[in-house]
Amino acid sequence: LLQTRTGSHRPSCARLHVCAGTCACPLAAALARRRALVCGACGGRGMELPRPPPHAWGGAPAPMPLPLEAAACLFGCTALFAGRAWLLMGRPGVAGASPINTGLQMRRSLVAILLVANLVRCMALIAELCFEEHVHMTFMDRLDAGQQGWVRDLVALLPATVFLSAFSVVVLFWAQLHYTTTIVPLPLLDCLFVCVNIACYLLVAAIAVCTFLLQAYSHLREYMICIIGFLNAIVALSFLHYGFTVVSELAETARKKLPGKRLTHRVMILSVVCPLSLLVRGAWYIAWGLALGRPSMSVDLVLCLVGEWLPSVVTLVVLSPLQRGGARSPSESVDDSTDSEAPLLQDDSSTPQRALAGGAPGLTWKQLYPQPEKV
């Protein structure tokens, strides 16, 4: 249906009215997206066809330091690694009130959230790849250029909030270790953690809805970048504080009771790599939010690898070490636990047990802290 004139290389649409914007031929539609076509059937007075939506980060696409396919494969493989770690952990025992089972359950929840976060980022990169390749999607055809840019910004930035929720679980993990060690009861700590995460998601949802209803589509990226940057800085500083606090408090206990596990070194690596990665991304996003630089998708992809993929891999390796020989039972995995319940609250036969004065026969009490001096 398309005929090319010799020398001019300009397609003619004598049989297909391309300038009206309705192309039945896929080849004509693909060519019309790249340049405006002049219709010969209407006397040369053709209409310019709508061009593809602008790039999600503005400007011309910069060369990627890593192909989107490779980045999606990295996050997909990390999700598989997290799923395998989650399966090998097993379920905690029936004694739900046990502090050891509570720590194991939190580690299992952390690995599950990292699994979800890596899957969400993998799907977001696949969606961005489809946008870049102009893959036909019915729901995108119903949106104008501004709305399509809004959708791309939301898809690109929403997985960062899921990763922040996952790393905030690690902060809660360290905080519980600290307050368990110092014997400070904080029954509402879990409730506070849940409320803060829900508030952050509600804030992101409110910004997304408001920018869409007010047709301020380009402002979504600016607001999301500022929020994600500040949240990265807050989580990084909290991570750093509680991580080094736990290391200083449990170093002596871990050296005595678990000398071959290198527990202190593992916690130290986690407390250094993750906060630094989050701080790098948070500082870069804050600089973008303050108009100190122009956002770029190529730089953002690097920040995703530094602030999401690297901390998640380090967290999975440190907190869920996979042993050869299959899954372990909860009782066998206690000795490898990084929480304070295992070294501080496990049953030690050397600790004397004494009968309760005036109590029922057979009831004994055990001194947990401070540990009595051995004679």
Side-chain angles (χ1 to χ4, degrees):
L1 295 178
L2 291 177
Q3 298 176 355
T4 304
R5 297 178 181 178
T6 305
S8 62
H9 299 287
R10 186 175 62 180
S12 174
C13 52
R15 297 186 181 183
L16 190 63
H17 199 73
V18 181
C19 66
T22 57
C23 296
C25 177
L27 180 59
L31 189 57
R33 292 192 188 98
R34 294 187 175 274
R35 55 179 172 174
L37 300 182
V38 179
C39 179
C42 59
R45 298 186 302 273
M47 299 171 57
E48 186 172 345
L49 292 177
R51 296 184 181 274
H55 197 264
W57 294 89
M64 290 292 179
L66 184 70
L68 292 177
E69 302 92 332
C73 289
L74 280 179
F75 283 98
C77 293
T78 307
L80 292 177
F81 179 69
R84 182 170 181 264
W86 185 76
L87 293 176
L88 290 179
M89 279 184 177
R91 293 174 177 260
V94 294
S98 171
I100 296 177
N101 288 332
T102 303
L104 294 177
Q105 182 62 41
M106 178 164 291
R107 287 174 56 184
R108 186 178 171 88
S109 301
L110 171 61
V111 174
I113 297 177
L114 287 176
L115 167 63
V116 174
N118 281 276
L119 281 178
V120 171
R121 173 56 71 185
C122 179
M123 291 186 292
L125 290 174
I126 293 175
E128 183 60 34
L129 182 62
C130 294
F131 293 146
E132 292 290 333
E133 298 295 332
H134 305 294
V135 177
H136 176 73
M137 288 177 282
T138 305
F139 76 96
M140 292 292 287
D141 295 338
R142 302 174 183 176
L143 306 176
D144 56 27
Q147 292 173 344
Q148 291 180 12
W150 180 89
V151 172
R152 294 182 66 172
D153 291 338
L154 185 63
V155 170
L157 294 173
L158 187 60
T161 59
V162 185
F163 273 98
L164 286 173
S165 294
F167 298 135
S168 65
V169 174
V170 186
V171 176
L172 175 65
F173 194 70
W174 293 151
Q176 288 184 341
L177 300 188
H178 167 63
Y179 294 120
T180 301
T181 305
T182 56
I183 315 183
V184 177
L186 290 177
L188 299 180
L189 187 60
D190 293 344
C191 181
L192 177 63
F193 163 78
V194 174
C195 292
V196 169
N197 275 269
I198 292 177
C200 292
Y201 281 107
L202 290 177
L203 178 61
V204 171
I207 291 176
V209 172
C210 290
T211 52
F212 187 84
L213 295 180
L214 297 177
Q215 299 182 0
Y217 306 121
S218 61
H219 290 76
L220 174 65
R221 180 173 64 249
E222 301 173 3
Y223 298 150
M224 288 283 289
I225 284 177
C226 292
I227 292 175
I228 293 174
F230 280 108
L231 289 179
N232 270 274
I234 292 173
V235 173
L237 295 177
S238 303
F239 204 127
L240 193 65
H241 168 70
Y242 284 110
F244 279 96
T245 302
V246 168
V247 170
S248 62
E249 291 173 348
L250 300 181
E252 187 66 20
T253 304
R255 185 181 63 83
K256 291 181 178 179
K257 295 194 174 184
L258 299 172
K261 300 296 183 179
R262 295 184 179 179
L263 193 60
T264 305
H265 297 84
R266 288 159 51 187
V267 177
M268 180 68 72
I269 292 174
L270 186 63
S271 301
V272 171
V273 174
C274 292
L276 287 181
S277 302
L278 296 175
L279 277 177
V280 168
R281 188 181 193 184
W284 214 286
Y285 271 31
I286 292 174
W288 281 349
L290 297 177
L292 299 179
R294 184 168 183 174
S296 170
M297 187 177 179
S298 58
V299 177
D300 185 69
L301 181 60
V302 175
L303 293 177
C304 287
L305 296 175
V306 173
E308 295 177 357
W309 179 78
L310 179 61
S312 62
V313 170
V314 173
T315 302
L316 290 172
V317 171
V318 171
L319 288 185
S320 59
L322 304 181
Q323 292 187 358
R324 300 176 183 176
R328 299 173 299 170
S329 64
S331 59
E332 294 173 343
S333 61
V334 167
D335 293 336
D336 196 30
S337 176
T338 56
D339 50 22
S340 62
E341 291 87 349
L344 292 182
L345 300 182
Q346 66 183 7
D347 190 10
D348 191 354
S349 59
S350 62
T351 304
Q353 296 183 355
R354 307 174 184 177
L356 293 176
L363 295 179
T364 59
W365 64 276
K366 172 184 175 182
Q367 182 175 347
L368 295 179
Y369 186 85
Q371 291 290 334
E373 297 181 0
K374 298 181 181 180
V375 180

